Amino acid sequence: MDRLGARRLTGVMSEHPILVTGATGKSGRRVVSRLRAEGLPVRAASRNGEHTFDWTDSGTWDAALEGVRSMYIVQLDGTKLVRPFIERAVRHGVQRIVLASRRGIDDPDYAKDSSGVLEGIVDSEAAVRESGLEWTISRPGWFAQNFSEGFFADAVLAGELRLPAGDGAASFVDAEDIAAVVVAALTESRHAGQIYELSGPRAMTLTEVATNSPSPLLTQAVGQPDRVTETGPTGQNPQPPRAVTSLGGCGRRRRNISRWGCCAAHEPPLAAAE
């Protein structure tokens, strides 16, 4: 029997499609792929994907939720749309929610935000916890794929990554590992009520990522930049460098999952959970 066989959804929930919003994104499309590999029905929803879903058009919500009993929510930054979406999901009979959140949102010293993104995420987490449904929250840190699929990719391809990072370090987590955790939470009841802080195995500076990484964050997909150039907050040299980010701690009802780059891909995603 395969590794996920013992945890696969059983009974009526396994007969209903699992809704994945943001299904074309870094984590969403990997969640879709993993669920389908397990033979589970998936409704891959996005603005330009298999099933049309638009956070800003509530007219697309009901069709996305029809017949769904479990769902993975990738929210739209800077909005408070998760709360009304969950209220509608409850009316449709949804039983289980996994929310994509962000690491450190409950730590005022972790990140500063004036755009309303963090406020929206905090409200989304509260809505999930208050829903009365089975819920799990995923709080990943920086995606390793930011270097190959995200906003660093062009700089990597150009051969120079210019950031005001200094010696600031972050632990980068592989989106495949995020997806593995999400699939476990979608298909197992034992993750209900848990907040998972997801990280890589250790904090790394951008210089280490570019030149000394034992796991090739940069070379894996798009090649390695010639150099990492420190800049000031405005992108000009020379200025005092500032840290990219810091690492938040883990509190009650959380687990810190640090598998990327140190465990084989066939191992259970929670094998390194503390």
Side-chain angles (χ1 to χ4, degrees):
M1 184 172 63
D2 61 74
R3 177 172 63 84
L4 296 180
R7 79 179 186 199
R8 188 174 296 166
L9 287 169
T10 59
V12 66
M13 285 186 70
S14 65
E15 300 170 1
H16 292 263
I18 299 172
L19 175 63
V20 177
T21 69
T24 58
K26 293 185 188 72
S27 68
R29 72 173 183 272
R30 290 172 168 86
V31 170
V32 169
S33 177
R34 285 174 175 267
L35 289 170
R36 286 179 171 165
E38 295 305 318
L40 293 169
V42 180
R43 182 169 295 156
S46 64
R47 285 181 297 178
N48 299 300
E50 298 175 18
H51 186 97
T52 301
F53 174 81
D54 188 340
W55 277 111
T56 64
D57 181 3
S58 60
T60 66
W61 295 4
D62 288 312
L65 290 166
E66 182 67 30
V68 167
R69 294 295 177 267
S70 57
M71 62 182 183
Y72 176 47
I73 297 179
V74 180
Q75 56 200 300
L76 180 63
D77 284 348
T79 69
K80 293 184 179 180
L81 295 171
V82 168
R83 185 177 294 275
F85 184 69
I86 289 177
E87 291 171 355
R88 192 170 303 188
V90 171
R91 295 197 295 270
H92 276 270
V94 171
Q95 300 172 16
R96 182 177 298 168
I97 303 170
V98 180
L99 175 71
S101 185
R102 293 192 183 182
R103 198 167 186 199
I105 68 162
D106 55 354
D107 181 354
D109 296 324
Y110 186 89
K112 304 299 181 183
D113 170 57
S114 59
S115 65
V117 171
L118 294 182
E119 182 181 354
I121 295 173
V122 169
D123 185 71
S124 297
E125 285 203 3
V128 166
R129 293 193 298 267
E130 296 163 6
S131 67
L133 307 178
E134 292 184 25
W135 59 266
T136 307
I137 294 173
S138 163
R139 289 181 178 173
W142 284 74
F143 285 36
Q145 279 75 11
N146 285 340
F147 295 98
S148 59
E149 302 173 17
F151 43 85
F152 294 154
D154 288 344
V156 172
L157 286 171
E160 183 178 30
L161 192 57
R162 297 176 62 88
L163 289 168
D167 58 359
S171 59
F172 298 90
V173 59
D174 195 315
E176 288 291 351
D177 285 352
I178 297 170
V181 172
V182 170
V183 169
L186 285 168
T187 57
E188 293 182 9
S189 60
R190 67 189 179 99
H191 303 290
Q194 296 290 336
I195 299 175
Y196 291 126
E197 301 269 358
L198 311 184
S199 74
R202 67 182 181 92
M204 303 174 68
T205 66
L206 287 177
T207 299
E208 289 176 317
V209 168
T211 60
N212 300 315
S213 173
S215 299
L217 293 184
L218 305 187
T219 60
Q220 187 176 48
V222 295
Q224 183 167 321
D226 297 325
R227 61 189 180 278
V228 175
T229 302
E230 294 181 1
T231 70
T234 61
Q236 302 297 320
N237 271 330
Q239 293 287 339
R242 59 183 174 89
V244 171
T245 188
S246 60
L247 299 179
C250 293
R252 293 182 61 190
R253 300 177 68 194
R254 305 183 197 170
R255 295 182 183 180
N256 192 44
I257 300 168
S258 305
R259 184 177 76 86
W260 185 80
C262 63
C263 299
H266 66 273
E267 293 183 356
L270 302 185
E274 298 175 353

